[in-house]
Short mmCIF file of all heavy atoms in Angstrom, two decimals:
data_model
loop_
_atom_site.label_atom_id
_atom_site.label_comp_id
_atom_site.label_asym_id
_atom_site.label_seq_id
_atom_site.Cartn_x
_atom_site.Cartn_y
_atom_site.Cartn_z
N ARG L 1 0.80 -1.23 0.00
CA ARG L 1 0.00 0.00 0.00
C ARG L 1 0.83 1.28 0.00
O ARG L 1 0.45 2.31 0.57
CB ARG L 1 -0.99 0.00 1.18
CG ARG L 1 -1.90 -1.22 1.17
CD ARG L 1 -2.83 -1.26 2.35
NE ARG L 1 -3.94 -0.31 2.24
CZ ARG L 1 -5.00 -0.46 1.49
NH1 ARG L 1 -5.12 -1.55 0.72
NH2 ARG L 1 -5.96 0.45 1.47
N GLU L 2 1.97 1.24 -0.67
CA GLU L 2 2.82 2.43 -0.80
C GLU L 2 2.89 2.94 -2.22
O GLU L 2 3.14 4.13 -2.45
CB GLU L 2 4.23 2.12 -0.30
CG GLU L 2 4.30 1.75 1.17
CD GLU L 2 5.69 1.25 1.55
OE1 GLU L 2 6.10 0.19 1.04
OE2 GLU L 2 6.35 1.94 2.35
N LEU L 3 2.73 2.04 -3.20
CA LEU L 3 2.76 2.39 -4.62
C LEU L 3 1.42 2.06 -5.26
O LEU L 3 0.74 1.11 -4.85
CB LEU L 3 3.86 1.61 -5.35
CG LEU L 3 5.31 1.79 -4.89
CD1 LEU L 3 6.21 0.82 -5.65
CD2 LEU L 3 5.76 3.23 -5.07
N VAL L 4 1.04 2.84 -6.26
CA VAL L 4 -0.10 2.49 -7.09
C VAL L 4 0.22 1.19 -7.83
O VAL L 4 1.33 1.03 -8.37
CB VAL L 4 -0.39 3.61 -8.10
CG1 VAL L 4 -1.50 3.20 -9.07
CG2 VAL L 4 -0.75 4.91 -7.38
N ILE L 5 -0.72 0.25 -7.83
CA ILE L 5 -0.49 -1.03 -8.52
C ILE L 5 -1.29 -1.06 -9.82
O ILE L 5 -2.52 -1.00 -9.83
CB ILE L 5 -0.88 -2.22 -7.63
CG1 ILE L 5 -0.06 -2.21 -6.34
CG2 ILE L 5 -0.66 -3.54 -8.38
CD1 ILE L 5 1.45 -2.24 -6.54
N HIS L 6 -0.54 -1.14 -10.91
CA HIS L 6 -1.11 -1.19 -12.26
C HIS L 6 -1.23 -2.66 -12.65
O HIS L 6 -0.23 -3.35 -12.84
CB HIS L 6 -0.17 -0.44 -13.22
CG HIS L 6 -0.65 -0.39 -14.64
ND1 HIS L 6 -1.44 0.63 -15.13
CD2 HIS L 6 -0.44 -1.24 -15.68
CE1 HIS L 6 -1.69 0.42 -16.40
NE2 HIS L 6 -1.10 -0.71 -16.77
N GLY L 7 -2.46 -3.14 -12.75
CA GLY L 7 -2.69 -4.55 -13.06
C GLY L 7 -2.83 -4.79 -14.55
O GLY L 7 -3.79 -4.32 -15.18
N HIS L 8 -1.86 -5.50 -15.12
CA HIS L 8 -1.92 -5.86 -16.54
C HIS L 8 -2.49 -7.27 -16.65
O HIS L 8 -2.00 -8.19 -16.00
CB HIS L 8 -0.53 -5.80 -17.18
CG HIS L 8 -0.58 -5.71 -18.67
ND1 HIS L 8 -1.16 -6.68 -19.46
CD2 HIS L 8 -0.14 -4.75 -19.53
CE1 HIS L 8 -1.06 -6.34 -20.73
NE2 HIS L 8 -0.45 -5.17 -20.81
N ARG L 9 -3.52 -7.42 -17.47
CA ARG L 9 -4.22 -8.71 -17.54
C ARG L 9 -3.77 -9.56 -18.72
O ARG L 9 -4.54 -10.40 -19.20
CB ARG L 9 -5.73 -8.46 -17.62
CG ARG L 9 -6.17 -7.80 -18.93
CD ARG L 9 -7.69 -7.64 -19.02
NE ARG L 9 -8.06 -7.31 -20.39
CZ ARG L 9 -9.32 -7.16 -20.80
NH1 ARG L 9 -10.31 -7.28 -19.95
NH2 ARG L 9 -9.58 -6.88 -22.07
N ASN L 10 -2.53 -9.40 -19.21
CA ASN L 10 -2.08 -10.19 -20.36
C ASN L 10 -2.35 -11.68 -20.10
O ASN L 10 -2.11 -12.20 -19.02
CB ASN L 10 -0.60 -9.93 -20.68
CG ASN L 10 0.31 -10.06 -19.49
OD1 ASN L 10 0.81 -11.14 -19.20
ND2 ASN L 10 0.55 -8.96 -18.79
N GLY L 11 -2.86 -12.35 -21.10
CA GLY L 11 -3.35 -13.72 -20.95
C GLY L 11 -4.85 -13.77 -20.77
O GLY L 11 -5.43 -14.86 -20.65
N TRP L 12 -5.51 -12.61 -20.78
CA TRP L 12 -6.94 -12.54 -20.56
C TRP L 12 -7.72 -13.39 -21.56
O TRP L 12 -8.72 -14.03 -21.21
CB TRP L 12 -7.39 -11.08 -20.65
CG TRP L 12 -8.87 -10.85 -20.70
CD1 TRP L 12 -9.57 -10.31 -21.73
CD2 TRP L 12 -9.83 -11.16 -19.68
NE1 TRP L 12 -10.92 -10.26 -21.42
CE2 TRP L 12 -11.10 -10.78 -20.17
CE3 TRP L 12 -9.74 -11.73 -18.42
CZ2 TRP L 12 -12.27 -10.93 -19.43
CZ3 TRP L 12 -10.91 -11.89 -17.67
CH2 TRP L 12 -12.15 -11.50 -18.18
N GLY L 13 -7.25 -13.46 -22.79
CA GLY L 13 -7.98 -14.20 -23.80
C GLY L 13 -8.19 -15.66 -23.44
O GLY L 13 -9.23 -16.25 -23.75
N MET L 14 -7.21 -16.28 -22.79
CA MET L 14 -7.36 -17.69 -22.45
C MET L 14 -8.41 -17.90 -21.36
O MET L 14 -8.93 -19.01 -21.18
CB MET L 14 -6.02 -18.29 -22.01
CG MET L 14 -5.50 -17.77 -20.69
SD MET L 14 -3.89 -18.51 -20.26
CE MET L 14 -3.53 -17.63 -18.74
N LEU L 15 -8.74 -16.83 -20.62
CA LEU L 15 -9.74 -16.91 -19.56
C LEU L 15 -11.14 -16.58 -20.05
O LEU L 15 -12.12 -16.92 -19.39
CB LEU L 15 -9.38 -15.95 -18.42
CG LEU L 15 -8.00 -16.10 -17.80
CD1 LEU L 15 -7.78 -15.01 -16.75
CD2 LEU L 15 -7.84 -17.47 -17.17
N ASN L 16 -11.23 -15.88 -21.19
CA ASN L 16 -12.52 -15.29 -21.55
C ASN L 16 -12.93 -15.45 -23.00
O ASN L 16 -14.12 -15.33 -23.31
CB ASN L 16 -12.48 -13.78 -21.20
CG ASN L 16 -13.73 -13.05 -21.61
OD1 ASN L 16 -13.76 -12.41 -22.67
ND2 ASN L 16 -14.76 -13.13 -20.79
N ARG L 17 -11.99 -15.71 -23.90
CA ARG L 17 -12.30 -15.58 -25.33
C ARG L 17 -13.42 -16.51 -25.79
O ARG L 17 -14.25 -16.13 -26.61
CB ARG L 17 -11.05 -15.80 -26.16
CG ARG L 17 -11.28 -15.49 -27.64
CD ARG L 17 -9.97 -15.42 -28.41
NE ARG L 17 -10.20 -15.03 -29.79
CZ ARG L 17 -9.24 -14.80 -30.67
NH1 ARG L 17 -7.97 -14.91 -30.29
NH2 ARG L 17 -9.53 -14.45 -31.91
N HIS L 18 -13.47 -17.72 -25.26
CA HIS L 18 -14.56 -18.62 -25.65
C HIS L 18 -15.84 -18.18 -24.92
O HIS L 18 -15.83 -18.00 -23.70
CB HIS L 18 -14.23 -20.06 -25.30
CG HIS L 18 -15.13 -21.06 -25.97
ND1 HIS L 18 -16.46 -21.22 -25.63
CD2 HIS L 18 -14.90 -21.93 -26.99
CE1 HIS L 18 -17.00 -22.14 -26.39
NE2 HIS L 18 -16.08 -22.58 -27.23
N PRO L 19 -16.94 -18.01 -25.64
CA PRO L 19 -18.17 -17.50 -25.00
C PRO L 19 -18.78 -18.42 -23.96
O PRO L 19 -19.61 -17.99 -23.17
CB PRO L 19 -19.12 -17.29 -26.19
CG PRO L 19 -18.61 -18.18 -27.26
CD PRO L 19 -17.11 -18.20 -27.09
N MET L 20 -18.37 -19.70 -23.96
CA MET L 20 -18.95 -20.65 -23.01
C MET L 20 -17.91 -21.28 -22.09
O MET L 20 -18.10 -22.39 -21.60
CB MET L 20 -19.70 -21.75 -23.77
CG MET L 20 -20.98 -21.31 -24.44
SD MET L 20 -22.23 -20.65 -23.28
CE MET L 20 -22.49 -22.06 -22.21
N LEU L 21 -16.82 -20.57 -21.85
CA LEU L 21 -15.79 -21.12 -20.97
C LEU L 21 -15.02 -20.00 -20.29
O LEU L 21 -14.71 -18.98 -20.91
CB LEU L 21 -14.80 -21.99 -21.79
CG LEU L 21 -13.71 -22.71 -21.01
CD1 LEU L 21 -14.30 -23.76 -20.08
CD2 LEU L 21 -12.70 -23.35 -21.96
N GLY L 22 -14.74 -20.17 -19.00
CA GLY L 22 -13.85 -19.23 -18.30
C GLY L 22 -14.57 -18.32 -17.34
O GLY L 22 -15.39 -18.76 -16.51
N ILE L 23 -14.29 -17.03 -17.44
CA ILE L 23 -14.80 -16.04 -16.49
C ILE L 23 -15.11 -14.74 -17.25
O ILE L 23 -14.38 -14.38 -18.16
CB ILE L 23 -13.78 -15.79 -15.35
CG1 ILE L 23 -14.32 -14.78 -14.33
CG2 ILE L 23 -12.42 -15.35 -15.90
CD1 ILE L 23 -13.43 -14.66 -13.08
N GLU L 24 -16.17 -14.08 -16.86
CA GLU L 24 -16.50 -12.78 -17.43
C GLU L 24 -15.84 -11.68 -16.60
O GLU L 24 -15.58 -11.85 -15.40
CB GLU L 24 -18.01 -12.57 -17.48
CG GLU L 24 -18.68 -13.25 -18.66
CD GLU L 24 -18.32 -12.60 -19.99
OE1 GLU L 24 -18.82 -11.51 -20.30
OE2 GLU L 24 -17.52 -13.22 -20.73
N PHE L 25 -15.61 -10.53 -17.23
CA PHE L 25 -14.86 -9.46 -16.58
C PHE L 25 -15.51 -8.93 -15.31
O PHE L 25 -14.80 -8.59 -14.36
CB PHE L 25 -14.61 -8.32 -17.57
CG PHE L 25 -13.56 -7.36 -17.08
CD1 PHE L 25 -12.21 -7.62 -17.26
CD2 PHE L 25 -13.92 -6.20 -16.42
CE1 PHE L 25 -11.25 -6.74 -16.80
CE2 PHE L 25 -12.97 -5.31 -15.96
CZ PHE L 25 -11.62 -5.59 -16.15
N PRO L 26 -16.84 -8.81 -15.20
CA PRO L 26 -17.41 -8.33 -13.94
C PRO L 26 -16.97 -9.15 -12.73
O PRO L 26 -16.75 -8.58 -11.65
CB PRO L 26 -18.92 -8.44 -14.18
CG PRO L 26 -19.08 -8.19 -15.65
CD PRO L 26 -17.88 -8.91 -16.26
N ALA L 27 -16.84 -10.46 -12.90
CA ALA L 27 -16.34 -11.29 -11.81
C ALA L 27 -14.83 -11.13 -11.63
O ALA L 27 -14.33 -11.01 -10.51
CB ALA L 27 -16.68 -12.76 -12.06
N TYR L 28 -14.11 -11.09 -12.74
CA TYR L 28 -12.65 -10.98 -12.70
C TYR L 28 -12.19 -9.72 -11.99
O TYR L 28 -11.28 -9.74 -11.16
CB TYR L 28 -12.14 -11.02 -14.15
CG TYR L 28 -10.64 -10.94 -14.33
CD1 TYR L 28 -9.85 -12.08 -14.18
CD2 TYR L 28 -10.03 -9.75 -14.71
CE1 TYR L 28 -8.48 -12.02 -14.40
CE2 TYR L 28 -8.67 -9.68 -14.93
CZ TYR L 28 -7.89 -10.82 -14.76
OH TYR L 28 -6.53 -10.75 -14.97
N GLN L 29 -12.81 -8.58 -12.31
CA GLN L 29 -12.36 -7.33 -11.71
C GLN L 29 -12.66 -7.28 -10.21
O GLN L 29 -11.94 -6.62 -9.47
CB GLN L 29 -12.95 -6.13 -12.46
CG GLN L 29 -14.45 -6.03 -12.51
CD GLN L 29 -15.08 -5.35 -11.32
OE1 GLN L 29 -14.42 -4.60 -10.62
NE2 GLN L 29 -16.35 -5.62 -11.07
N LYS L 30 -13.70 -7.97 -9.76
CA LYS L 30 -13.97 -8.02 -8.32
C LYS L 30 -12.86 -8.77 -7.58
O LYS L 30 -12.45 -8.38 -6.49
CB LYS L 30 -15.32 -8.67 -8.05
CG LYS L 30 -16.50 -7.78 -8.35
CD LYS L 30 -17.81 -8.48 -8.03
CE LYS L 30 -19.00 -7.58 -8.35
NZ LYS L 30 -20.29 -8.27 -8.11
N ILE L 31 -12.37 -9.85 -8.20
CA ILE L 31 -11.25 -10.59 -7.60
C ILE L 31 -10.04 -9.66 -7.46
O ILE L 31 -9.38 -9.64 -6.41
CB ILE L 31 -10.89 -11.82 -8.46
CG1 ILE L 31 -12.05 -12.81 -8.47
CG2 ILE L 31 -9.61 -12.48 -7.95
CD1 ILE L 31 -11.89 -13.93 -9.49
N GLN L 32 -9.76 -8.88 -8.50
CA GLN L 32 -8.60 -7.99 -8.46
C GLN L 32 -8.81 -6.84 -7.46
O GLN L 32 -7.87 -6.40 -6.82
CB GLN L 32 -8.30 -7.44 -9.85
CG GLN L 32 -8.08 -8.51 -10.91
CD GLN L 32 -7.06 -9.56 -10.49
OE1 GLN L 32 -6.06 -9.26 -9.85
NE2 GLN L 32 -7.31 -10.81 -10.88
N ARG L 33 -10.03 -6.37 -7.32
CA ARG L 33 -10.31 -5.34 -6.31
C ARG L 33 -10.10 -5.89 -4.91
O ARG L 33 -9.56 -5.20 -4.05
CB ARG L 33 -11.74 -4.81 -6.47
CG ARG L 33 -11.90 -3.81 -7.59
CD ARG L 33 -13.08 -2.87 -7.33
NE ARG L 33 -14.18 -3.09 -8.25
CZ ARG L 33 -15.22 -2.26 -8.39
NH1 ARG L 33 -15.30 -1.18 -7.63
NH2 ARG L 33 -16.18 -2.51 -9.25
N LEU L 34 -10.55 -7.11 -4.68
CA LEU L 34 -10.33 -7.72 -3.37
C LEU L 34 -8.84 -7.86 -3.08
O LEU L 34 -8.39 -7.66 -1.94
CB LEU L 34 -11.02 -9.09 -3.29
CG LEU L 34 -12.54 -9.08 -3.16
CD1 LEU L 34 -13.10 -10.47 -3.38
CD2 LEU L 34 -12.96 -8.54 -1.79
N ALA L 35 -8.06 -8.18 -4.11
CA ALA L 35 -6.61 -8.31 -3.93
C ALA L 35 -5.94 -6.96 -3.69
O ALA L 35 -4.87 -6.90 -3.07
CB ALA L 35 -5.99 -8.99 -5.14
N GLY L 36 -6.55 -5.87 -4.18
CA GLY L 36 -6.01 -4.54 -3.93
C GLY L 36 -5.43 -3.83 -5.13
O GLY L 36 -4.76 -2.81 -4.99
N VAL L 37 -5.69 -4.33 -6.35
CA VAL L 37 -5.17 -3.70 -7.58
C VAL L 37 -5.85 -2.34 -7.76
O VAL L 37 -7.06 -2.21 -7.60
CB VAL L 37 -5.41 -4.61 -8.79
CG1 VAL L 37 -5.09 -3.90 -10.10
CG2 VAL L 37 -4.58 -5.89 -8.66
N ASP L 38 -5.07 -1.32 -8.12
CA ASP L 38 -5.58 0.04 -8.28
C ASP L 38 -6.03 0.36 -9.70
O ASP L 38 -6.96 1.15 -9.90
CB ASP L 38 -4.50 1.06 -7.89
CG ASP L 38 -4.13 0.99 -6.43
OD1 ASP L 38 -4.97 1.31 -5.59
OD2 ASP L 38 -2.98 0.58 -6.13
N GLN L 39 -5.35 -0.20 -10.69
CA GLN L 39 -5.63 0.08 -12.10
C GLN L 39 -5.69 -1.25 -12.85
O GLN L 39 -4.86 -2.13 -12.60
CB GLN L 39 -4.52 0.95 -12.71
CG GLN L 39 -4.25 2.25 -11.98
CD GLN L 39 -3.05 3.00 -12.52
OE1 GLN L 39 -2.30 2.48 -13.36
NE2 GLN L 39 -2.84 4.21 -12.04
N LEU L 40 -6.67 -1.39 -13.76
CA LEU L 40 -6.85 -2.68 -14.42
C LEU L 40 -7.22 -2.49 -15.89
O LEU L 40 -8.11 -1.71 -16.22
CB LEU L 40 -7.96 -3.48 -13.72
CG LEU L 40 -8.22 -4.89 -14.22
CD1 LEU L 40 -6.98 -5.78 -14.08
CD2 LEU L 40 -9.39 -5.51 -13.45
N HIS L 41 -6.52 -3.21 -16.76
CA HIS L 41 -6.76 -3.11 -18.20
C HIS L 41 -8.15 -3.64 -18.56
O HIS L 41 -8.61 -4.65 -18.01
CB HIS L 41 -5.70 -3.90 -18.96
CG HIS L 41 -4.39 -3.20 -19.05
ND1 HIS L 41 -3.79 -2.90 -20.25
CD2 HIS L 41 -3.57 -2.70 -18.09
CE1 HIS L 41 -2.65 -2.27 -20.03
NE2 HIS L 41 -2.49 -2.13 -18.72
N VAL L 42 -8.80 -2.94 -19.50
CA VAL L 42 -10.14 -3.32 -19.95
C VAL L 42 -10.24 -3.42 -21.47
O VAL L 42 -11.33 -3.58 -22.01
CB VAL L 42 -11.21 -2.31 -19.46
CG1 VAL L 42 -11.31 -2.32 -17.94
CG2 VAL L 42 -10.92 -0.90 -19.98
N ASN L 43 -9.11 -3.31 -22.18
CA ASN L 43 -9.12 -3.23 -23.64
C ASN L 43 -9.69 -1.87 -24.06
O ASN L 43 -9.75 -0.96 -23.25
CB ASN L 43 -9.89 -4.39 -24.27
CG ASN L 43 -9.29 -4.84 -25.59
OD1 ASN L 43 -8.68 -4.07 -26.32
ND2 ASN L 43 -9.48 -6.11 -25.90
#
């Protein structure tokens, strides 16, 4: 909690690209918020 944390989601396609497999971003970003990420890529 001393530096801003910029969260890069490279590899996102393997988690989301198929419409019937993986995780949608609304759930994904909540996980990152719980972890404490300050900035998160959204395309």
Side-chain angles (χ1 to χ4, degrees):
R1 303 177 75 77
E2 297 172 295
L3 300 174
V4 175
I5 301 302
H6 181 91
H8 199 300
R9 67 177 194 177
N10 51 88
W12 169 244
M14 68 181 177
L15 304 176
N16 176 262
R17 188 168 184 175
H18 195 289
M20 289 300 300
L21 183 65
I23 181 172
E24 280 291 286
F25 195 83
Y28 181 81
Q29 59 86 22
K30 284 181 181 177
I31 295 170
Q32 304 309 323
R33 281 206 249 192
L34 286 169
V37 171
D38 295 293
Q39 305 173 351
L40 184 60
H41 283 238
V42 296
N43 214 332

